[in-house]
Amino acid sequence: MQQHVPVPTAESSALPTSEAVAEAGDAGRSADGGRRPRPVRWRLPDAGLVSLLLAAALWCYALPRIGFREMGDYGLLDRLPVAYHLSLLVLTAGFVLTLRRAGTAPWWPAAHCAALLFALKAPPAVLYDAVRYPWASKHDAVVDTLLANGELRPGAALSGNMSAYDQWPGFFTLNAGLVRAFGVESAATYANWAPIVLGLLMMPVLVLIYRTFCQDWRLVWTAVWIFQLANWVGQDYFAPQGLAYLLHLTVIAVVLRHFVRPGSAGRLRDRTFLDPAAATVPPPTGNRQRAVCVVVLSPLIAAVNATHQLTPVMLCICLFALTLTRRYRNYGLLAVAALLMLVWDLTMGRPLFVETLSTLKESIGDLTQNSRAGYAGQLTGPGPELAGTANVLMVLAVAALAGVALLLRRRLVRSALPLLLVSAAPVPLFAVNDYGGEMLFRVYLFGLPGAAFFAAAALVPAAAGKRRGRAPVARRRVAAVALPAVLLVLLTGFLPSYYGKETMYYTPPEETALVVRALDNAPDGSLILATSGSFPEALHRYDRLEHWFFAEQELPENERMLKDPAGYLADGIPPGTRAYVILTRTQDVYTAGEGLLPADGFETLRTALSASPLFRTVESHSYGVVLEYRPAARGTTTR
């Protein structure tokens, strides 16, 4: 009889035999019968940890070498050392590597996204010895005034268009409470940290929105990463818009997750019909559950209305866009949001609301005017021009990537159609109003979450193994190169977009002290003249002073003003009014960069006013001059 000899399989051969165990035991014993120490096997550190530590080391090394006090035409761009750029490159490389394990270890990409936010926007918060961005100091002045007066005056006609802040006081009331709770002198103590705090709070909201439509963690974190890079608008500084935007996205996230109508998903609940990365539609909710959600969301919507003028309009438009789909055709929440907005606009915000309605007749349909950026000037100078060009290219790049996804991943787009509608909903506002030259930026900001998601969908193909064939394999190979390349391009565009005009945003403490002294010494009711309101502490004591920012107008009118600056200003000062002119270095940079004054126009203005007998020099330094108007001298001069 032939003896059957078992052939070892892969599994059986992987298991140790008794002889092997005995040999291993003998090998582990020394000559005297004792146990030998087992060799220590060193495990290589995780790539995500290595990239984070290396990037942090490079960033910390570069931080004290950022020459922010010597900024020139290119703002902070040419003051960032090589080590800073290397830290961003290491972060990007680490992020791309950790995406490979995003499904099993999603916290590594999350940590890299948080690190990117900190690396990009924390240098001013850590380094600057003054509040970044003059408008942030303006908002700090509102908080100080609220703390000093202890009341709101929505009906008061405050100079410098400051009445609107008492009509939408949510942000300032919150920060007044924070100042008291922290025991700090003012909100200026922490104002520069607003972009980091708001960015960190935004991340889980974005993840919640993206996970509603996508189960691929690679795509989700890539979308968050692209959102961070494409969010160069800067509306996350110490301002009501940043807080209102966060609340707006929170409301949208809850609606997308918990307002699905029963029986509205149709074929989208069939996995064979969906894109491999698409998530199934959230479970449907009944009328009672949606009613409870409306009650829960009402305070958030009310907070949006108490914080900002434009954001409630954007929220209502986005909710209306969602009603165009069967999945979210719920009119109750839209009605509540619209009612809350109208109630606020007709009560606390009535003065500005009525004024805005009176201007709509002229602005509706004027697409050219409504899509302008800034005041009436044209960006001039290397830094502002580069920033303006980078802004346009960044918008086109994100839009092009999103367009590619609309063509190549139509099944994902169909399941994420509500997000596409929410992103496109703000676009028609171009036809309504220019919002002080900022409607272009606001439309881009509110459409960015969806645009970032679809841009990521163009770069992150369906997970390997889901679909077979030459086309999916080719897409994955292209994505392996395109993803890091595009992320580096967006990173390159972010830096000039965000820091190209930094010379306008950083103000030496000496200039700020000069302005504060001048405004503290001005008697109540005095008129403060400046070329623009974009300088530090411009609205200090705004409730006791009047303001005239005389260069915030068309360039031809400013050129006419420069022919006789003293006479032009004297004609605009009401008789019997104490008036002071404050001209600072920040104003010089701003009016030149925004094209409000011609080349050397600010120096011409300062020289002419300092030499005129109509104005007496109160204080003069290289960073600014304060002049007092002398109406008595006007009769002794000829023009």
Side-chain angles (χ1 to χ4, degrees), residues 55-80:
L58 290 169
W59 191 85
C60 292
Y61 174 81
L63 194 64
R65 293 165 175 79
I66 298 177
F68 66 96
R69 290 189 178 89
E70 297 82 28
M71 286 187 290
D73 293 337
Y74 287 95
L76 208 58
L77 288 179
D78 56 354
R79 301 299 171 183
L80 297 172

Side-chain angles (χ1 to χ4, degrees), residues 76-145:
L76 208 58
L77 288 179
D78 56 354
R79 301 299 171 183
L80 297 172
V82 175
Y84 178 81
H85 296 285
L86 288 177
S87 69
L88 298 180
L89 292 177
V90 170
L91 269 181
T92 303
F95 174 75
V96 174
L97 290 176
T98 57
L99 281 182
R100 299 179 179 180
R101 297 187 296 113
T104 57
W107 295 112
W108 283 120
H112 280 75
C113 287
L116 176 72
L117 172 69
F118 195 87
L120 290 176
K121 298 185 177 180
V126 177
L127 294 176
Y128 285 9
D129 47 10
V131 175
R132 179 184 184 265
Y133 198 55
W135 284 75
S137 66
K138 173 182 179 180
H139 298 148
D140 177 44
V142 179
V143 177
D144 290 343
T145 302

Side-chain angles (χ1 to χ4, degrees), residues 80-357:
L80 297 172
V82 175
Y84 178 81
H85 296 285
L86 288 177
S87 69
L88 298 180
L89 292 177
V90 170
L91 269 181
T92 303
F95 174 75
V96 174
L97 290 176
T98 57
L99 281 182
R100 299 179 179 180
R101 297 187 296 113
T104 57
W107 295 112
W108 283 120
H112 280 75
C113 287
L116 176 72
L117 172 69
F118 195 87
L120 290 176
K121 298 185 177 180
V126 177
L127 294 176
Y128 285 9
D129 47 10
V131 175
R132 179 184 184 265
Y133 198 55
W135 284 75
S137 66
K138 173 182 179 180
H139 298 148
D140 177 44
V142 179
V143 177
D144 290 343
T145 302
L146 180 59
L147 288 170
N149 297 334
E151 63 177 358
L152 298 172
R153 293 169 294 172
L158 300 176
S159 177
N161 296 322
M162 299 299 286
S163 301
Y165 295 114
D166 277 6
Q167 297 167 20
W168 280 270
F171 174 80
F172 308 104
T173 305
L174 171 63
N175 280 278
L178 292 177
V179 169
R180 291 282 176 84
F182 293 157
V184 296
E185 183 178 354
S186 68
T189 306
Y190 58 82
N192 286 348
W193 289 96
I196 295 91
V197 173
L198 290 174
L200 291 175
L201 293 175
M202 197 83 67
M203 282 179 55
V205 179
L206 291 172
V207 170
L208 184 60
I209 292 175
Y210 296 153
R211 288 288 289 177
T212 304
F213 304 103
C214 177
Q215 65 179 6
D216 188 346
W217 278 109
R218 300 174 307 149
L219 198 158
V220 170
W221 288 118
T222 302
V224 174
W225 187 276
I226 292 176
F227 178 89
Q228 301 281 21
L229 292 178
N231 188 17
W232 50 262
V233 182
Q235 292 300 328
D236 53 359
Y237 75 105
F238 185 73
Q241 175 67 96
L243 176 61
Y245 185 60
L246 173 63
L247 297 176
H248 163 86
L249 288 183
T250 302
V251 173
I252 296 297
V254 174
V255 171
L256 294 175
R257 300 286 293 187
H258 300 290
F259 277 77
V260 177
R261 295 181 60 200
S264 61
R267 296 178 66 188
L268 294 180
R269 294 205 180 275
D270 183 0
R271 288 299 315 173
T272 60
F273 179 75
L274 295 176
D275 183 280
T280 55
V281 178
T285 53
N287 293 334
R288 181 176 298 180
Q289 291 173 294
R290 292 196 296 273
V292 172
C293 287
V294 170
V295 173
V296 173
L297 289 178
S298 293
L300 283 179
I301 298 174
V304 172
N305 282 276
T307 302
H308 197 247
Q309 308 98 307
L310 182 64
T311 306
V313 179
M314 294 287 193
L315 179 60
C316 288
I317 291 176
C318 291
L319 293 178
F320 174 76
L322 288 177
T323 63
L324 300 178
T325 66
R326 287 184 56 201
R327 206 183 314 175
Y328 298 103
R329 191 170 296 161
N330 300 287
Y331 300 104
L333 182 63
L334 175 61
V336 170
L339 180 62
L340 289 174
M341 180 179 66
L342 288 176
V343 168
W344 190 276
D345 288 343
L346 295 176
T347 53
M348 286 287 290
R350 180 179 176 83
L352 183 61
F353 179 67
V354 173
E355 179 184 345
T356 302
L357 288 179

